[in-house]
Amino acid sequence: MAFSERVDRLKSSLIREILAAAQRPEVMSFAGGLPAESMLPKVDWDQMPASMGQYGMSEGEPALREAIAAEARSLGIDCSDSQVLIVSGSQQTLDLASKLFIDRGTEVLLEAPTYLAALQVFQLFGADCLSIPQESDGPLLDALRQRLEKHHPAFAYLIPTFQNPSAVRYSEEKRDAVAALLDEYNVTLIEDEPYRELVFDDENARPIVSRMHKASWIYTGTVSKTLLPGLRVGYLIATPDLFPYLLRLKQSADLHTNRIGQWQALQWLGSEQYHAHLAELRRFYCLRRDAMQDALTKHFFDLADWQLPQGGLFFWLRLKRPLDTRTLLKPALARDVVFMPGEPFFVDPEQNPGYLRLNFSHVAPDRLDEGIRLLASVVRGAYVVEAA
Amino acid sequence: MAFSERVDRLKSSLIREILAAAQRPEVMSFAGGLPAESMLPKVDWDQMPASMGQYGMSEGEPALREAIAAEARSLGIDCSDSQVLIVSGSQQTLDLASKLFIDRGTEVLLEAPTYLAALQVFQLFGADCLSIPQESDGPLLDALRQRLEKHHPAFAYLIPTFQNPSAVRYSEEKRDAVAALLDEYNVTLIEDEPYRELVFDDENARPIVSRMHKASWIYTGTVSKTLLPGLRVGYLIATPDLFPYLLRLKQSADLHTNRIGQWQALQWLGSEQYHAHLAELRRFYCLRRDAMQDALTKHFFDLADWQLPQGGLFFWLRLKRPLDTRTLLKPALARDVVFMPGEPFFVDPEQNPGYLRLNFSHVAPDRLDEGIRLLASVVRGAYVVEAA
């Protein structure tokens, strides 16, 4: 069978394979990025017009595009509804951007670590992925400038607000500095913000694209983390030089995003009901974060270091004595607990052992302490084996 | 701005641009492939479980995959549910197959004419498109054999049942012959069947993939033509050698297909209610086909030749005196009538002037005769200008 050359670079999604393995109900999963089942809002379909069953526009539903543009403007993003494209979940933004920018060998700039599925799709299309080390308040600026001086990346892909997997939120200073650097070198920014609304304090985090004045950009978001992922409704907002290409690539990919999900999303966005739901979600997830912080402090204090996440869905642990955390998966699953190894989030996994991503939204608090205890014992067990 | 090289081949979708131009309510559109609004079934969402709001599996909903596999087996396709992938409309099958097979310069085999959006996505990925002339009962077999002897296409893409745009249904003999030839040369078949259920007689048309014994295949279908296109739910069934790659490409494209649409599709597939709906749809569309046949006989008898379609959604007219039908679009729109020019359905548009694709499902019968009369007068007008 003669496949395309890109198929040689087609990796399976480790995340989804672990999720599949963790389907057994007795397994406690810290692996995924799933919203808590109990926090999925009850939705109503009674008022949906029959016309939503017909083919729609590739751009998306006009009213939904307007609502999204209005919300983006309230974040300081200078844009109109004509720049909004509704996509089949924000994962599709990465597919469309890959098609727009990436040939074999095209350089792109990523955080280290970065979102696994982004890394995979960029590599699938043949990108040469350059990475910038992440600090607790955003990228190492010297490294960013150095990369921009030496290379000509087609774009920088950043997740500045509660980054997946590191939970980092860029500081005001770094947001400004990154915007200025990308403008200076005229490098397109893809800013991915699935977690913006899942925030536990009142710190400002205006998007980086709202601070840019020259370079092109794509800003992408989703309702998956705040409403219902099963709708598969996300969006991108792009500068006018990019938009027409992205629209045609969307047409070619799947004609348009499903209209029933778009209609449902529109019932929520900007509504009082939605704001109330978000407030409840934040309270709920904040409690779960606190519960996990307590469990980690109890069971991992001597094993790992971490930062308390101010939003998002994850803790990012760095083991004090690094080992390849992928080797922990099997013993963890044997004890009915599963987590996400850190290595696959790096362009160079072998050079970055010893990280674990733990989701705090999914496991109920009454089981959480036991799960973290089990996980800690798996890590300790690995050290014993190592020492033997 | 440095885009990927594929962007140079990114064409806008003429179909969708015409649809956009034809949004004015006074425009009578014979251009699209839209189901009649009045035949969109009333659907019920009351029983949908809340869990459909959560993330789902990339493969699709297990029960829906089973229902689709069962239906495929009833058509003679030897397959299990593990070979079924739910996609975001069958357009996505073309995107995934392009990623799987096409590098720049990869040869693929298509009917002439063929589905415009398939041609576009294959060309976007860099395919070298070889075409096989279509006869009234399927492809010219000598031409097919010749292409297979001289070339090594990655796949053949065929629409054997009420082909878009030609409305051709392959004969039994040609189905067998095509299957045997693809087996002989071991060339993968992509069989696209959106129109199978929209049939007006009781002739057998067992899928070509059910007649193959050696080569790999992808069979793809959708609920867009029979249920609700707005759900964006289609499927592919693939031989086991191809399936794992297509699944990973699906993950990378958009994680999974929206679950609410999948749930709705499952309520219908295989049900008595669905069979009753299909019977009604066939009667309804058959009446519309007959109405258009009458109008064409009246207004186009001296202008064009055509075959009476036994299913699907289209008439395919060949002008007795060929001209570039794209030049007719503007004068037609000026008279509030729109159709689909034939040239873009060919790999070599300039060598194939003089075809029009007319949809018969959308325009109400009481306006139809007037629309066809207007269209005929546009054609006559062009001949007058030509002669002047």
Side-chain angles (χ1 to χ4, degrees):
Chain A
M1 182 67 58
F3 291 136
S4 68
E5 57 94 20
R6 83 178 62 77
V7 170
D8 297 336
R9 298 183 302 264
L10 182 60
K11 295 173 193 164
S12 90
S13 163
L14 188 58
I15 291 180
R16 299 200 70 81
E17 284 185 10
I18 292 172
L19 285 177
Q23 291 285 324
R24 287 179 291 135
E26 64 273 23
V27 171
M28 221 180 302
S29 175
F30 303 111
L34 276 71
E37 299 279 343
S38 61
M39 290 307 287
L40 298 177
K42 209 184 131 28
V43 298
D44 196 347
W45 297 97
D46 290 350
Q47 303 301 313
M48 185 165 67
S51 58
M52 289 298 114
Q54 187 55 282
Y55 280 110
M57 293 166 66
S58 296
E59 292 87 342
E61 296 304 303
L64 183 59
R65 298 172 73 201
E66 279 172 31
I68 287 166
E71 193 165 299
R73 284 193 298 269
S74 78
L75 296 173
I77 301 175
D78 178 28
C79 69
S80 80
D81 54 347
S82 66
Q83 292 168 252
V84 177
L85 178 65
I86 311 297
V87 292
S88 303
S90 59
Q91 178 72 25
Q92 190 176 47
T93 299
L94 307 180
D95 181 70
L96 301 181
S98 297
K99 287 170 177 163
L100 181 54
F101 287 113
I102 303 177
D103 288 321
R104 203 173 172 176
T106 298
E107 291 181 324
V108 306
L109 210 54
L110 309 171
E111 298 149 333
T114 188
Y115 174 46
L116 174 53
L119 187 58
Q120 288 180 336
V121 67
F122 300 152
Q123 288 177 336
L124 172 68
F125 277 85
D128 184 0
C129 295
L130 311 169
S131 60
I132 322 154
Q134 189 86 310
E135 298 179 298
S136 65
D137 66 341
L140 193 62
L141 293 176
D142 284 350
L144 175 57
R145 177 177 284 280
Q146 204 178 34
R147 297 285 184 286
L148 290 171
E149 263 168 15
K150 284 201 186 155
H151 299 272
H152 301 283
F155 60 79
Y157 169 77
L158 306 176
I159 315 161
T161 311
F162 313 126
Q163 205 246 10
N164 179 358
S166 70
V168 163
R169 174 174 53 190
Y170 290 20
S171 65
E172 278 295 296
E173 296 68 33
K174 289 223 166 158
R175 285 169 189 263
D176 283 338
V178 168
L181 276 168
L182 294 177
D183 269 348
E184 181 182 341
Y185 289 91
N186 200 21
V187 168
T188 298
L189 171 61
I190 302 177
E191 184 168 16
D192 190 359
E193 294 236 302
Y195 307 108
R196 155 166 297 281
E197 297 290 351
L198 302 183
V199 54
F200 308 139
D201 61 16
D202 51 9
E203 203 170 295
N204 181 22
R206 207 154 48 75
I208 294 179
V209 300
S210 75
R211 303 162 196 251
M212 291 170 68
H213 304 289
K214 186 176 163 222
S216 304
W217 50 261
I218 299 171
Y219 181 82
T220 186
T222 178
V223 303
S224 292
K225 308 301 180 187
T226 52
L227 196 57
L228 297 172
L231 302 177
R232 305 311 300 130
V233 172
Y235 59 88
L236 67 83
I237 311 176
T239 44
D241 55 331
L242 304 182
F243 188 86
Y245 298 100
L246 292 164
L247 174 60
R248 285 178 224 165
L249 289 166
K250 168 70 180 169
Q251 289 173 352
S252 155
D254 60 6
L255 300 186
H256 66 81
T257 298
N258 85 86
R259 294 180 81 185
I260 46 182
Q262 290 191 67
W263 179 84
Q264 188 60 255
L266 181 61
Q267 306 317 298
W268 292 81
L269 285 194
S271 73
E272 275 186 44
Q273 186 191 19
Y274 189 51
H275 287 121
H277 169 65
L278 288 176
E280 202 185 339
L281 211 53
R282 290 181 193 117
R283 270 193 305 275
F284 180 91
Y285 284 149
C286 189
L287 287 174
R288 294 218 160 173
R289 177 204 63 174
D290 292 344
M292 185 169 276
Q293 171 74 1
D294 291 348
L296 288 172
T297 305
K298 200 161 137 197
H299 302 295
F300 270 89
F301 70 97
D302 56 337
L303 292 175
D305 299 302
W306 64 91
Q307 215 183 339
L308 181 71
Q310 297 303 324
L313 297 172
F314 306 111
F315 279 79
W316 180 242
L317 269 58
R318 192 179 59 169
L319 295 179
K320 292 176 196 283
R321 282 172 52 197
L323 54 78
D324 187 332
T325 63
R326 292 170 291 192
T327 63
L328 302 175
L329 266 182
K330 243 183 160 171
L333 265 171
R335 295 185 146 202
D336 289 337
V337 56
V338 67
F339 69 98
M340 195 63 212
E343 290 82 3
F345 294 92
F346 291 91
V347 173
D348 40 0
E350 309 311 323
Q351 275 63 63
N352 290 281
Y355 292 91
L356 292 83
R357 192 192 73 178
L358 300 182
N359 166 267
F360 60 77
S361 65
H362 192 63
V363 175
D366 59 331
R367 300 181 71 200
L368 182 91
D369 188 82
E370 175 62 9
I372 295 297
R373 192 189 65 77
L374 284 170
L375 199 56
S377 75
V378 167
V379 176
R380 284 180 219 283
Y383 291 137
V384 172
V385 172
E386 206 175 48
Chain B
M1 183 65 57
F3 291 136
S4 68
E5 57 95 18
R6 83 179 62 76
V7 170
D8 298 336
R9 299 184 301 265
L10 182 61
K11 294 174 193 165
S12 88
S13 162
L14 189 59
I15 291 179
R16 299 199 70 82
E17 284 185 8
I18 292 171
L19 285 177
Q23 290 286 325
R24 286 180 290 136
E26 65 273 23
V27 171
M28 220 179 304
S29 176
F30 301 111
L34 276 69
E37 298 280 342
S38 61
M39 291 307 286
L40 299 177
K42 208 182 132 30
V43 297
D44 196 346
W45 298 96
D46 290 350
Q47 302 301 313
M48 184 164 67
S51 59
M52 289 297 114
Q54 186 56 283
Y55 281 109
M57 293 166 66
S58 295
E59 292 87 342
E61 295 303 306
L64 183 59
R65 299 172 73 202
E66 279 172 31
I68 287 165
E71 194 166 299
R73 284 193 298 268
S74 79
L75 295 173
I77 301 174
D78 177 28
C79 69
S80 81
D81 54 346
S82 66
Q83 291 168 253
V84 177
L85 179 65
I86 310 297
V87 292
S88 302
S90 59
Q91 177 73 24
Q92 190 176 47
T93 299
L94 307 180
D95 181 69
L96 302 181
S98 298
K99 287 171 177 162
L100 181 55
F101 288 112
I102 303 177
D103 288 321
R104 201 173 173 177
T106 298
E107 290 181 326
V108 307
L109 210 54
L110 309 172
E111 298 150 332
T114 188
Y115 174 46
L116 175 52
L119 187 58
Q120 287 180 337
V121 67
F122 300 152
Q123 288 177 335
L124 172 68
F125 277 85
D128 185 1
C129 294
L130 312 168
S131 60
I132 322 154
Q134 190 85 307
E135 298 179 300
S136 65
D137 65 341
L140 194 62
L141 293 176
D142 285 349
L144 175 57
R145 177 177 283 280
Q146 203 178 35
R147 296 286 183 286
L148 291 171
E149 264 169 13
K150 283 202 187 158
H151 299 272
H152 301 282
F155 60 79
Y157 169 76
L158 306 176
I159 314 162
T161 311
F162 313 126
Q163 206 247 11
N164 179 359
S166 71
V168 163
R169 174 174 52 189
Y170 290 20
S171 65
E172 279 294 296
E173 296 69 30
K174 290 224 165 154
R175 285 169 190 263
D176 283 337
V178 168
L181 276 168
L182 293 177
D183 268 347
E184 181 182 341
Y185 289 91
N186 200 21
V187 168
T188 297
L189 171 62
I190 302 176
E191 183 168 16
D192 190 358
E193 294 235 304
Y195 306 109
R196 157 167 295 282
E197 296 290 351
L198 302 182
V199 53
F200 308 139
D201 61 17
D202 52 8
E203 203 170 296
N204 181 21
R206 208 154 48 76
I208 295 178
V209 300
S210 76
R211 303 162 196 251
M212 291 169 70
H213 304 288
K214 186 176 165 224
S216 304
W217 51 259
I218 299 171
Y219 181 82
T220 185
T222 178
V223 303
S224 292
K225 308 302 180 187
T226 51
L227 195 57
L228 297 173
L231 302 178
R232 306 310 301 128
V233 172
Y235 59 88
L236 67 82
I237 311 176
T239 43
D241 55 332
L242 304 182
F243 187 87
Y245 299 101
L246 292 163
L247 174 60
R248 286 179 223 165
L249 289 165
K250 168 70 180 170
Q251 288 174 353
S252 156
D254 60 5
L255 301 187
H256 65 82
T257 298
N258 85 86
R259 295 180 81 184
I260 47 183
Q262 291 191 67
W263 179 83
Q264 188 60 255
L266 180 61
Q267 306 317 299
W268 292 81
L269 285 193
S271 72
E272 275 186 42
Q273 187 192 18
Y274 189 51
H275 286 122
H277 169 66
L278 288 176
E280 204 186 337
L281 210 54
R282 290 182 193 116
R283 271 194 305 273
F284 180 91
Y285 284 150
C286 189
L287 287 174
R288 294 218 160 172
R289 178 204 62 175
D290 291 345
M292 185 169 276
Q293 170 74 0
D294 290 348
L296 287 172
T297 306
K298 199 161 141 195
H299 302 296
F300 269 89
F301 69 97
D302 58 336
L303 291 175
D305 299 302
W306 65 90
Q307 212 182 342
L308 181 70
Q310 296 304 323
L313 297 172
F314 305 111
F315 279 81
W316 180 241
L317 269 59
R318 191 177 62 168
L319 295 179
K320 292 176 195 283
R321 283 173 51 199
L323 55 78
D324 187 332
T325 63
R326 290 170 293 191
T327 64
L328 302 175
L329 266 181
K330 243 182 157 171
L333 264 170
R335 294 184 146 201
D336 290 337
V337 57
V338 65
F339 68 99
M340 195 60 214
E343 290 82 2
F345 293 92
F346 291 90
V347 173
D348 40 359
E350 310 311 322
Q351 274 63 62
N352 290 280
Y355 291 92
L356 293 84
R357 193 193 72 177
L358 301 182
N359 166 269
F360 60 78
S361 64
H362 192 63
V363 175
D366 59 331
R367 300 180 70 200
L368 183 94
D369 187 82
E370 176 63 6
I372 296 296
R373 191 189 65 78
L374 284 171
L375 199 56
S377 76
V378 167
V379 176
R380 285 181 218 283
Y383 292 137
V384 172
V385 171
E386 207 175 49

